[in-house]
Amino acid sequence: MPWTDAGHAGEFQDVGMAPTESPPTLHAEGLTKRYGRRGRLALSDVNLAVPSGRVIGLVGPNGAGKSTLLHLACGLTEPTSGSLTVLGSPPAANASHLARVGFVAQNTPVYGSFTVAEHLKLGATMNPAWDRSLAERRISQVGLNPTQRAGQLSGGQRAQLALTIAAAKRPELLIFDEPAAALDPLARRGFLHSLGEFVRELGASAVFSSHLLGDIEQVCDYLIVLCDSRIQLAGDTRDLLAGHARLISPRGESGWMPTGFEVISTDHSGAIVRGGTAPEALPCRVEPVTLEELVLGYMARAAAVPTAPATAAVRRAQR
Amino acid sequence: MMWLNWRQFRIQALVAVGALVVAAAYTAYLGGDIRDAYDARQAACRDQADCAQATSQFRSAYQNTLLFLATGLALIPAVIGTFWGAPLIARELENGTHRLVWNQSVTRSRWLLTKVLLVGLAAMALTGAAAALLTWAARPFDEVVKEEFSTFVFGARDVAPIGYAALAVTLGTVAGLLLRRTLPSMAVTLVVFLAFQFFFPNVVRPSLIPPDRATLPMSVEAINGAQNLGSIGGGSVIGGVKMPHEPDAWIAQTSPLRTKDGKTLDGAEFNSCLDSPPKTGRGGTFGDTAVCLAKHDLHIDVRYHPSSRYWAFQWLETGIYLALSGVLTAFAVWRIRRRVS
């Protein structure tokens, strides 16, 4: 049972850097972003160290600061205080660093009056490492007509085009800001499939934000939960799942609280807890958590509202 | 990078070239016409008496057309700033495509600089070509009429329009960068640019070079050589005076009519000369009024520029506009690096 190596892995905001040669994908220290001088605090004292080679899922409710974090990571905006390095350098520091990071923005913007082929031409003329054969192969695989104007593409086709442009520059890191949010389920599945293929083919790291847990579960092996402009949880999904458990309250005992654990959230049937004493001694049943329970537990804790039992039941039923 | 710029600018460029061809055809026709009329006037001027009338005819035949064309030329930079400059960045920010283009392997400052450079140089070339055409077509007229310092004529000849075009494009770019929306930045660019084009020639241009000063005695002949007396606001003023020995000089500032002790002529006396001067039967532009005023032994103090300073003014003004454009471009680069998301 993975429960035993709880405690060291997946500690809250304590993501030890793997002893690898390559610099961390993302490294943030005290990263804070405030819009306007006295404006909204979008990110507050974020500390992160994501090792390279991961497909990172960034989850959180709308307005949690996901886009802000990703915009900071690709240099579209600058931090108010603190520091962030991407692949070992400040974001968008120069042309060669720009070449190492691919970005697909929310709503996947493209030039409406350009044809698909012209978008590839744009990529080819603006990126020294442009992989033309990769771009053309992908475009034909997803069935895009090169002579069609991008303004006439469907949302799913546009997302595929934006993804192809970002990937064919052969970046070391691909950043996606809710690229699938506006897509219908079929287009989303196709997009996520393409995304996974690109990441594998390029051997790149990727960051992928979404408020759809299913997307994250499908693609990611590293999880960051961002709520209320703060990091709630970050770590390899395997470690996170191993480091948490679901305790089922003994029959008939409502309001039961386990002791000796950090309780993340509770509901009618039990509690999500993190690490602590060995489970054998517990007077209750212990079950592994699912990614969804884990994320919802942390999101609920951040919102300071207990997980609504009905919602949890519905979500379990959906699977 | 250059491919993208050209792809985004090609339609505007084609429209501009088309418009320039039409303008060239028209000015070629007009230039020929003016030259024919000029030759006719030269022929008439072999006889001293006919010359004045021929000159006046020549002048009135083309004055309005050329003024109209000068106004049109003054609008070219304004239109370019509004339709090329303002949407340059604003449209990208509005459509979100900046998030696509800024994440290619080209830094934002380079992207902005190449864009501004391409569109700015195209605007300068277009306006410069239009100004050259008009300057050529109007040359015989300008030679005869000598009004190169009049506000509209100065701004529609030689090199100054090139500077206006550069400023219009950079102003539009900065407006788009700050306002982030196409339509408002177009409106702001148009209004601010036109306001500046009013402000600069009237306020800044006269003192670009320190003017010379002179005191002109107001004899009957001098008064009759002026264009107007008095003003809507009242006061003992005279307008449209020419320097006696340098008729081509630009009089940038004219004092009111002053008496021998340097005081401004009393308004009541001025008005009485204007309304009911003693009858003398003298002719001239202002007739008896001129005689009446001359009796007061008046003079005016003027600040003026000899016509030899024309090219100094042209280059100086162009240089100032180009420098301002450079400042705006530098600001845009600084701003796009730091503050835009």
Side-chain angles (χ1 to χ4, degrees):
Chain A
M1 202 174 173
W3 181 235
T4 41
D5 48 60
H8 75 271
E11 275 300 321
F12 180 42
Q13 289 208 6
D14 177 24
V15 190
M17 204 185 116
T20 49
E21 301 266 325
S22 43
T25 302
L26 296 175
H27 186 95
E29 271 174 26
L31 186 65
T32 300
K33 175 68 185 180
R34 187 185 286 281
Y35 287 107
R37 224 152 258 167
R38 285 186 190 165
R40 191 170 58 85
L41 197 61
L43 280 182
S44 170
D45 193 29
V46 165
N47 295 296
L48 261 181
V50 183
S52 70
R54 303 295 199 281
V55 180
I56 304 149
L58 179 59
V59 273
N62 292 329
K66 300 191 295 292
S67 282
T68 301
L69 180 59
L70 297 185
H71 282 183
L72 285 166
C74 64
L76 278 175
T77 176
E78 292 207 323
T80 309
S81 63
S83 72
L84 174 69
T85 58
V86 175
L87 305 172
S89 310
N94 48 43
S96 64
H97 190 262
L98 279 166
R100 297 168 65 197
V101 179
F103 177 63
V104 179
Q106 204 162 0
N107 304 325
T108 55
V110 291
Y111 289 102
S113 62
F114 286 26
T115 64
V116 169
E118 281 172 331
H119 276 93
L120 299 191
K121 176 92 177 167
L122 178 156
T125 53
M126 290 182 81
N127 297 287
W130 183 256
D131 188 338
R132 191 177 151 195
S133 67
L134 171 72
E136 285 172 357
R137 177 159 51 81
R138 289 300 312 189
I139 288 298
S140 66
Q141 266 175 19
V142 295
L144 287 178
N145 175 1
T147 58
Q148 193 171 9
R149 288 198 186 278
Q152 297 164 342
L153 296 175
S154 72
Q157 290 173 319
R158 216 178 54 214
Q160 293 280 9
L161 176 60
L163 172 61
T164 305
I165 299 168
K169 69 192 248 195
R170 299 203 74 95
E172 295 165 43
L173 170 66
L174 273 163
I175 300 178
F176 304 93
D177 187 6
E178 306 223 13
L183 304 185
D184 63 68
L186 199 63
R188 182 152 73 233
R189 193 179 66 178
F191 181 85
L192 292 174
H193 181 73
S194 293
L195 191 157
E197 281 188 350
F198 270 127
V199 170
R200 266 194 301 283
E201 179 164 354
L202 299 172
S205 307
V207 190
F208 175 81
S209 83
S210 180
H211 56 263
L212 298 165
L213 295 172
D215 295 353
I216 298 290
E217 217 161 10
Q218 192 179 334
V219 186
C220 303
D221 57 17
Y222 193 100
L223 185 71
I224 299 172
V225 180
L226 188 65
C227 293
D228 221 9
S229 74
R230 286 165 199 281
I231 302 270
Q232 307 295 333
L233 180 71
D236 279 316
T237 40
R238 227 175 25 164
D239 297 343
L240 292 178
L241 291 175
H244 293 77
R246 176 170 188 82
L247 305 187
I248 309 296
S249 54
R251 196 170 294 273
E253 281 186 50
S254 65
W256 170 82
M257 285 290 273
T259 50
F261 303 96
E262 187 188 347
V263 177
I264 308 303
S265 71
T266 57
D267 61 29
H268 67 103
S269 64
I272 309 284
V273 300
R274 173 167 63 182
T277 48
E280 293 81 41
L282 284 172
C284 63
R285 227 167 75 231
V286 178
E287 285 184 355
V289 287
T290 65
L291 200 63
E292 187 157 353
E293 284 170 338
L294 193 64
V295 169
L296 285 173
Y298 274 93
M299 278 165 62
R301 186 172 78 162
V305 188
T307 317
T311 317
V314 168
R315 288 194 182 276
R316 267 198 303 280
Q318 278 173 341
R319 284 197 302 277
Chain B
M1 186 64 236
M2 229 39 225
W3 177 84
L4 173 65
N5 282 334
W6 170 244
R7 172 64 185 81
Q8 289 185 300
F9 186 61
R10 64 185 186 190
I11 293 172
Q12 289 99 309
L14 278 175
V15 169
V17 168
L20 193 61
V21 167
V22 173
Y26 176 70
T27 39
Y29 157 76
L30 181 71
D33 208 29
I34 290 180
R35 275 159 180 75
D36 290 347
Y38 177 79
D39 291 344
R41 174 198 167 264
Q42 293 298 90
C45 271
R46 282 194 204 104
D47 180 38
Q48 196 69 35
D50 293 343
C51 189
Q53 203 206 339
T55 303
S56 153
Q57 253 176 18
F58 176 64
R59 181 188 175 120
S60 61
Y62 296 105
Q63 192 165 30
N64 284 341
T65 309
L66 287 173
L67 198 63
F68 178 75
L69 289 178
T71 313
L73 186 66
L75 285 177
I76 292 179
V79 169
I80 285 179
T82 306
F83 287 91
W84 291 4
L88 199 63
I89 311 294
R91 184 157 290 153
E92 305 261 359
L93 294 174
E94 201 167 61
N95 294 342
T97 43
H98 65 294
R99 300 207 174 103
L100 171 68
V101 76
W102 290 357
N103 284 284
Q104 309 306 312
S105 314
V106 171
T107 58
R108 259 178 267 173
S109 14
R110 215 185 120 207
W111 174 80
L112 177 73
L113 275 177
T114 51
K115 249 173 137 59
V116 171
L117 216 60
L118 173 74
V119 176
L121 288 177
M124 288 159 75
L126 174 70
T127 316
L133 285 167
L134 185 57
T135 306
W136 170 82
R139 184 167 296 139
F141 182 87
D142 289 345
E143 208 175 277
V144 172
V145 174
K146 303 271 189 195
E147 277 183 341
E148 74 260 41
F149 278 112
S150 106
T151 306
F152 270 117
V153 174
F154 183 89
R157 300 283 190 277
D158 301 308
V159 291
I162 297 174
Y164 306 159
L167 184 71
V169 167
T170 49
L171 180 70
T173 306
V174 167
L177 194 56
L178 295 180
L179 296 172
R180 311 176 61 99
R181 285 174 55 221
T182 309
L183 224 56
S185 23
M186 286 171 79
V188 165
T189 303
L190 187 65
V191 169
V192 171
F193 183 73
L194 288 181
F196 189 79
Q197 289 299 79
F198 180 80
F199 162 82
F200 194 91
N202 291 302
V203 179
V204 182
R205 191 188 290 159
S207 43
L208 275 183
I209 301 173
D212 291 350
R213 290 153 190 266
T215 299
L216 305 181
M218 286 290 99
S219 62
V220 176
E221 289 72 32
I223 293 171
N224 277 331
Q227 277 172 8
N228 55 289
L229 278 172
S231 74
I232 297 168
S236 316
V237 294
I238 188 164
V241 181
K242 294 212 162 178
M243 293 299 291
H245 302 295
E246 281 181 282
D248 304 340
W250 173 29
I251 298 192
Q253 205 181 350
T254 311
S255 74
L257 290 163
R258 284 173 175 157
T259 55
K260 204 157 194 176
D261 54 5
K263 291 207 176 91
T264 301
L265 175 66
D266 182 57
E269 293 194 50
F270 178 76
N271 283 336
S272 84
C273 273
L274 215 59
D275 300 335
S276 50
K279 295 263 184 283
T280 59
R282 279 282 289 265
T285 317
F286 298 107
D288 294 335
T289 301
V291 179
C292 173
L293 285 172
K295 281 202 182 117
H296 286 93
D297 194 12
L298 300 168
H299 68 271
I300 52 172
D301 297 307
V302 295
R303 295 183 182 189
Y304 73 102
H305 295 285
S307 63
S308 59
R309 287 182 190 164
Y310 174 77
W311 277 103
F313 270 100
Q314 276 275 336
W315 287 116
L316 208 56
E317 184 157 326
T318 311
I320 288 170
Y321 271 76
L322 289 179
L324 284 174
S325 314
V327 169
L328 286 175
T329 308
F331 169 77
V333 168
W334 171 83
R335 169 98 189 175
I336 207 168
R337 245 190 231 159
R338 305 205 36 143
R339 298 281 310 267
V340 183
S341 71

